[in-house]
Amino acid sequence: MAAVRPPPTVLLLGAAGGGKSLLVRRLRQLSAEEPAGLGEPPATLPTVGTNLTDLRLPRKVTVRELGGCMGPIWPSYYSECSALLVSSSCIQLLSVLSAAPLASVPVLVLFNKIDLPCYMSLLEMKSLFRMQDIVSCATQPITMLETSARDGTGLADVLQWLRATLGNPH
């Protein structure tokens, strides 16, 4: 009898106030069997600790959101990670990308909150973060997307990236 594998785990990391909780709620809404549309964004509270959310892509995937204040202990979660969503500062991003357990884990860098009036374009953010240099030095594949968890922009692309990256179990 074959052993049942647990669903892949996607780590969602980022700075406090980066919109991670709303992002994962919206992804769960969009990945539902019969998505009913996003509607008004629900109120969220800062994540203290960790939140687990299951998505159907159609394969079940667990998203583990780690609160921004948990940055010092993020590395203890790296070894169980199948993919990584990062909505973060440049320093946090460099720290995560250089962690040995994540050396071959696919990474999606999210430039969230593009609905804000002070939003910078993807090109400006790539330049500010020096993403070309980061990507050329990184050992893992890195993809970048603009998102707005508030209005839903880019969230279908996040789900598509997850589906393509995590695929089906071997």
Side-chain angles (χ1 to χ4, degrees), residues 67-165:
C69 62
M70 292 182 62
I73 64 167
W74 286 354
S76 62
Y77 292 92
Y78 293 169
S79 62
E80 61 190 57
C81 171
S82 302
L84 183 63
L85 301 178
V86 182
S87 177
S88 159
S89 73
C90 192
I91 303 244
Q92 286 174 319
L93 177 62
L94 291 172
S95 173
V96 168
L97 292 177
S98 63
L102 300 175
S104 62
V105 172
V107 176
L108 178 58
V109 177
L110 302 171
F111 295 111
N112 195 23
K113 298 194 175 189
I114 64 169
D115 54 294
L116 294 177
C118 59
Y119 136 83
M120 296 171 72
S121 72
L122 184 58
L123 188 61
E124 291 169 317
M125 290 300 294
K126 284 179 171 181
S127 175
L128 181 66
F129 272 55
R130 297 189 57 156
M131 289 305 298
Q132 186 174 349
D133 294 338
I134 291 172
V135 169
S136 67
C137 294
T139 58
Q140 58 274 82
I142 299 174
T143 304
M144 291 157 274
L145 289 174
E146 292 177 303
T147 60
S148 169
R150 179 167 294 284
D151 69 20
T153 303
L155 299 186
D157 295 328
V158 174
L159 288 176
Q160 181 57 39
W161 181 87
L162 287 167
R163 286 183 187 106
T165 299

Side-chain angles (χ1 to χ4, degrees), residues 22-32 34-42 148-156 159:
L22 182 57
L23 178 81
V24 79
R25 283 186 184 183
R26 296 298 210 175
L27 291 174
R28 186 179 63 212
Q29 283 180 287
L30 286 174
S31 70
E34 296 176 25
L38 293 177
E40 283 299 308
S148 169
R150 179 167 294 284
D151 69 20
T153 303
L155 299 186
L159 288 176

Side-chain angles (χ1 to χ4, degrees), residues 46-58:
T47 300
V48 178
T50 181
N51 287 332
L52 297 175
T53 303
D54 290 332
L55 304 178
R56 292 261 173 214
L57 301 176

